[in-house]
Amino acid sequence: MHDIRAIRLDPDAYDTGWAKRGAAPAAAELVALDEARRAAQTALQQAQSRRNEVSALIGRARASGNVEVAEALMADVELLKREIAEQTAIEAELAERLRDRLATLPNLPAPDVPPGDDETANVEVRRWGEPYADSPAKDHVDLGAALGMMDFEAAARMSGARFVVLRAGLARLERALGQFMLDVQTQEHGYVEVSPPLLVRDEAVFGTGQLPKFAEDLFHTTDGRWLIPTAEVSLTNTVAGVITDEAALPLRLTALTPCFRSEAGASGRDTRGMIRQHQFQKVELVSITTPEQSGAEHERMVECAESILKRLELPFRTVLLCTGDMGFTARKTYDLEVWLPSQKTYREISSCSNCGDFQARRMDARAKRAGEKGARFVHTLNGSGLAVGRALVAVMENYQDEGGRIAVPQALHPYMRGLTRIGAEEG
RNA sequence: GGAGAGGUGGCUGAGUGGUCGAAAGCACCGCACUCGAAAUGCGGCGUACUCGUGAGGGUACCGUGGGUUCGAAUCCCACCCUCUCCGCCA
């Protein structure tokens, strides 16, 4: 959500920013709406002011027993009442239109985001690890089926497409990955572990920007709540409506949760395997910072995510998304892409975004220095640290041997109760 | 799920139709007293929007949204949340 006063001050900057993301100019329309709204508000307030004056007079006339004067004044107010009703309606209508319009406009890209229309214009900023050129490259679906531990058919029977049943070693490996990631982020990177709600209200999902535009990507419950598509929603909303003490910032929060996505727009894409599921586990990282801190925090967050891939010894590259490839709420985004031997390509496994004050404005999350006046909107950042489902795919494919068994990465050994190779002789 | 109580400023807490943006206390800031501090005294001290070059003015906000009324923190309705008791339950 953007500040209408900032748009009023420099409409061109906003139109230029939106253009970079392929969005149509909107500033002129917004400014006109706002002008009309303010005019209506002023008219309304003047009418209210007059009504308040007359009402006070009525009170005084009554008190002094002057009934006739009071009656006459009450008649006068009738006209004002009508005017107030009219102006209230006009003002409310304009305010709602302005709000609705503002709510659907994407964040502006940061100045250092490369221009471009789609992922082909993204910029690789670094690469880590070397893909083995001649290693076996069965994909995780074949590997999992051969192991008897990954069952898409059973999942389809009970839940439909885009679900999976994991068993035995793979189920344990998934759990190990989640625990490992959470431990690293909490014990080494200072994130506070959070166990948040998975079902949230409209306002929460509006706050992080999935509503109103992307409702069809979410699951909606019969009692009107939403299943979180990412713990970003729950974690970021912990500061919704709150004024935090600036001294407490940055706030670093993490959670391992299931995520639920309807994948409405993705029919036909990644239909095979675990890459794109309706339900998956993810360790999410969220930082709440001052405006001054967010840039450095963003870089730090990317490194926190990268460290997981390094510890798992999975080859990856870090990509700076171009203006056209960023999500709705982001002003700058890095993606981490992990090497998948079966596809001979890098696939997204983490996305780290600095949202500036875009989400904070939507959810009214502010901070101020103790004892000082004036609260400012905080900056919010979120990133995957990492997507567990995709990490499982990456481990399986990168750690497979000719026999279709999966070596357990060294970093996960403490979490596997002695199991170092999946598909050997364990059960 | 049933029954009841309640949601007021940073906190505690008064206020049941008019001059209440809201008493009082605490906290905080300034001034006075003091060598300094404490105590004491005096004054100040919410947020948002809006009008105005400015000084300053106006409007709204007492959980949220509606309604009644010339006028609502106060009356009515719905919803949200908290607490207590009962029931159910991992």
Side-chain angles (χ1 to χ4, degrees), chain A residues 25-41:
Chain A
E29 176 202 347
L30 291 166
V31 169
L33 250 178
D34 180 53
E35 235 158 70
R37 194 205 102 243
R38 274 154 53 225
Q41 186 184 36

Side-chain angles (χ1 to χ4, degrees), chain A residues 96-114:
Chain A
E96 192 189 339
R97 265 168 62 193
L98 181 61
R99 209 174 31 245
D100 289 353
R101 200 68 190 81
L102 281 171
T104 57
L105 287 162
N107 205 348
L108 300 186
D112 55 341
V113 171

Side-chain angles (χ1 to χ4, degrees), chain A residues 298-372:
Chain A
H298 192 202
E299 302 298 324
R300 181 186 191 276
M301 179 179 273
V302 175
E303 285 166 27
C304 291
E306 286 175 349
S307 78
I308 300 293
L309 290 170
K310 290 179 183 172
R311 306 271 286 261
L312 293 173
E313 298 177 76
L314 293 169
F316 70 92
R317 60 177 198 158
T318 302
V319 171
L320 176 58
L321 298 195
C322 74
T323 53
D325 202 29
M326 287 194 301
F328 180 73
T329 57
R331 51 190 315 265
K332 184 177 179 183
T333 299
Y334 291 103
D335 274 6
L336 304 191
E337 298 178 344
V338 68
W339 178 256
L340 289 191
S342 69
Q343 302 185 7
K344 294 196 166 40
T345 183
Y346 290 95
R347 291 298 307 258
E348 177 185 342
I349 193 166
S350 170
S351 190
C352 300
S353 298
N354 184 354
C355 299
D357 65 4
F358 188 83
Q359 293 179 322
R361 243 174 236 294
R362 289 178 156 249
M363 61 176 70
D364 189 27
R366 291 173 293 166
K368 72 179 192 72
R369 264 185 256 274
E372 278 182 25

Side-chain angles (χ1 to χ4, degrees), chain A residues 257-268:
Chain A
T257 71
C259 304
F260 303 93
R261 299 188 181 179
S262 73
E263 297 297 345
S267 56

Side-chain angles (χ1 to χ4, degrees), chain A residues 210-270:
Chain A
Q210 286 82 12
L211 287 186
K213 253 191 138 173
F214 308 103
E216 70 279 2
D217 297 334
L218 307 174
F219 288 109
H220 201 204
T221 66
T222 52
D223 71 345
R225 288 178 235 264
W226 305 86
L227 273 71
I228 58 168
T230 157
E232 168 201 344
V233 175
S234 310
L235 293 178
T236 310
N237 270 285
T238 55
V239 295
V242 171
I243 298 177
T244 310
D245 181 359
E246 263 195 32
L249 303 181
L251 232 51
R252 298 190 176 109
L253 309 172
T254 185
L256 167 61
T257 71
C259 304
F260 303 93
R261 299 188 181 179
S262 73
E263 297 297 345
S267 56
R269 291 193 48 159
D270 299 315

